Amino acid sequence: MSVLHTGIGELVTNDPAIGDGSVLGLLHDAALVTDGDRVAWVGPAARAPAADHRVDHEGDAVVPGFVDSHAHLVFAGERSAEFAARASGRPYTAGGIRTTVAATRAASDEALAAGVASLARELLAAGVTTFETKSGYGLTVDDERRALEIAGRFTPETTYLGAHVVPAEYADHRADYVDLVCGPMLDACAPHARWVDVFCETGAFDVDEARAVLEAGRDRGLGMRVHAGQLGQGEGVRLAVDLGAAAVDHCTYLSDDDVEGLAAGPTVATLLPGVEFSTRTAWADGRRLLDAGAMVALATDCNPGSSYTSNIAFCLALAVRHQGLTPAEALHAATAGGAAALRRPDVGSLVPGARADLVRLAAPSYVHLAYRPGVPLVREVWRGGVPSEEER
Ligand code: NIG
Ligand code: FE
């Protein structure tokens, strides 16, 4: 079945070869035809071909579905008391992760799946049509495996994060935990994961441990992604670059060498401004990364500790206000950037052949995403050519 989406006041294609020649490939008075789950045609409304159905966007802006390349959705419980304590001056440490680990281990599969379903609905309502999600709150062979099995019911972008922190029961023999993560836990998780990730940071895993985890995952056919540069400068960003990881996420603290490495290679630098908002830490310098020539993504990092938001438009507004991105760069990072971070050439743009994932905004321009922060501007979402209310 084909659908003609017409009356689009402003269409963001993310193809610089289309339209105004900018990175967003903007077209005005545009139309788009979808055929099944794919985009079949994009161009001026006046030249649009006929289709089986017609949707009139009445001058609204249409943007590619957001691609959230970093989230931790499989968990139980919540940590509002920790958030409130931070708001009165307590610093964020990775220690809070263990609180969520205890709650997650105690939860049933049904409760965990219901939690993911609820957050996945929030993401879709916020215009996210592709999302990644991680394990990392189980930290036993069975709890990590079941987290990934549940995650896989909702997204193909599943990430094994057995190396989130060393669980309390291994505190005195952490090398054994790294061996578990690289051995039996990986064996149980790899069939349910597309990616392997590690939190390379003081208080989590050092660079040698992180390399061991990433290489073990890579040798099992998993793509690599890394958490680094969240709490301070370290060797994690360089490790990600040297191993050719798809992405390194947080990037709040970067050395000049880190920035050079990111600019020179294919590893995407993912900004997570929801974390900096929620943990009251310094803002990552997105401008520095873009000026150096690095590819930048923007993601929610939705998790109960450091960033409990599923609203990527909120993150986009923060990136514009605090990380030095223009509204165009922020939208590009939350769509094409996220797609690059997940190595998904089929999403993040609206060009013929791409997946028909599109968001109609209650606004004449994408700029409103940052200009009207906190306002729910997502009017309608189509995923794979289908209106999201028909999917539910
Ligand atoms: O990406 N940095 C490590 N992991 C999460 C935090 C998880 C938590 O605090 O529960 C993050 O920010
Ligand atoms: Fe994270």
Side-chain angles (χ1 to χ4, degrees):
M1 190 190 69
S2 60
V3 181
L4 167 63
H5 292 261
T6 191
I8 301 172
E10 181 180 83
L11 177 66
V12 173
T13 66
N14 278 341
D15 181 351
I18 295 179
D20 70 342
S22 74
V23 67
L24 292 184
L26 283 183
L27 277 171
H28 291 97
D29 301 317
L32 175 151
V33 176
T34 64
D35 190 5
D37 65 356
R38 298 282 153 172
V39 176
W41 184 91
V42 175
R47 296 218 310 265
D52 302 333
H53 290 273
R54 185 174 188 276
V55 180
D56 186 352
H57 291 266
E58 300 167 316
D60 286 343
V62 169
V63 303
F66 295 109
V67 180
D68 188 358
S69 60
H70 186 141
H72 307 244
L73 306 185
V74 191
F75 65 85
E78 56 92 38
R79 284 154 50 196
S80 54
E82 184 189 311
F83 177 84
R86 276 202 299 279
S88 41
R90 282 255 295 276
Y92 175 82
T93 65
I97 294 171
R98 293 194 182 88
T99 310
T100 301
V101 169
T104 303
R105 287 178 179 175
S108 67
D109 289 8
E110 293 69 29
L112 292 177
V116 181
S118 167
L119 290 167
R121 273 194 300 276
E122 287 183 14
L123 286 164
L124 186 61
V128 172
T129 48
T130 301
F131 65 88
E132 180 264 15
T133 197
K134 307 173 195 295
S135 66
Y137 291 122
L139 311 184
T140 67
V141 172
D142 206 48
D143 286 305
E144 287 293 296
R145 183 205 47 74
R146 76 170 176 148
L148 288 162
E149 188 273 311
I150 290 166
R153 299 179 203 169
F154 299 90
T155 177
E157 303 301 336
T158 53
T159 300
Y160 168 47
L161 182 59
H164 199 183
V165 289
V166 175
E169 62 274 20
Y170 280 91
D172 298 330
H173 45 117
R174 55 183 297 125
D176 291 342
Y177 186 67
V178 175
D179 288 345
L180 180 72
V181 169
C182 298
M185 194 185 278
L186 175 63
D187 291 340
C189 290
H192 304 285
R194 176 164 185 233
W195 302 98
V196 60
D197 193 348
V198 56
F199 187 19
C200 185
E201 197 85 44
T202 305
F205 295 87
D206 69 25
V207 68
D208 295 322
E209 293 166 337
R211 179 180 289 107
V213 170
L214 293 168
E215 288 181 344
R218 179 195 64 195
D219 293 347
R220 289 295 297 261
L222 304 182
M224 293 174 285
R225 29 200 343 103
V226 181
H227 281 73
Q230 178 186 357
L231 305 174
Q233 266 184 36
E235 294 173 85
V237 176
R238 194 72 225 185
L239 176 69
V241 167
D242 289 348
L243 287 176
V248 56
D249 300 8
H250 287 286
C251 294
T252 306
Y253 296 94
L254 297 175
S255 67
D256 290 342
D257 179 63
D258 292 340
V259 175
E260 271 168 40
L262 288 165
T267 303
V268 175
T270 307
L271 304 178
L272 306 169
V275 173
E276 290 141 19
F277 173 84
S278 174
T279 60
R280 299 187 158 221
T281 43
W283 299 97
D285 189 348
R287 186 77 262 137
R288 180 182 177 205
L289 285 162
L290 285 164
D291 287 348
M295 179 67 161
V296 169
L298 195 53
T300 62
D301 197 6
C302 182
N303 77 78
S306 64
S307 181
Y308 201 6
T309 181
S310 52
N311 191 325
I312 199 158
F314 167 66
C315 300
L316 190 148
L318 291 179
V320 169
R321 175 64 182 88
H322 296 291
Q323 296 183 324
L325 274 62
T326 65
E329 288 165 340
L331 176 60
H332 192 263
T335 51
L342 292 173
R343 298 202 168 152
R344 286 284 304 273
D346 58 325
V347 299
S349 63
L350 291 173
V351 294
R355 265 184 67 87
D357 294 344
L358 44 140
V359 175
R360 174 182 179 177
L361 300 178
S365 168
Y366 74 86
V367 177
H368 284 229
L369 289 164
Y371 169 50
R372 305 198 67 212
V375 178
L377 294 178
V378 173
R379 184 165 264 164
E380 281 175 287
V381 181
W382 283 261
R383 188 161 60 171
V386 179
S388 63
E389 65 271 19
E390 281 177 28
E391 271 189 76
R392 287 186 206 135

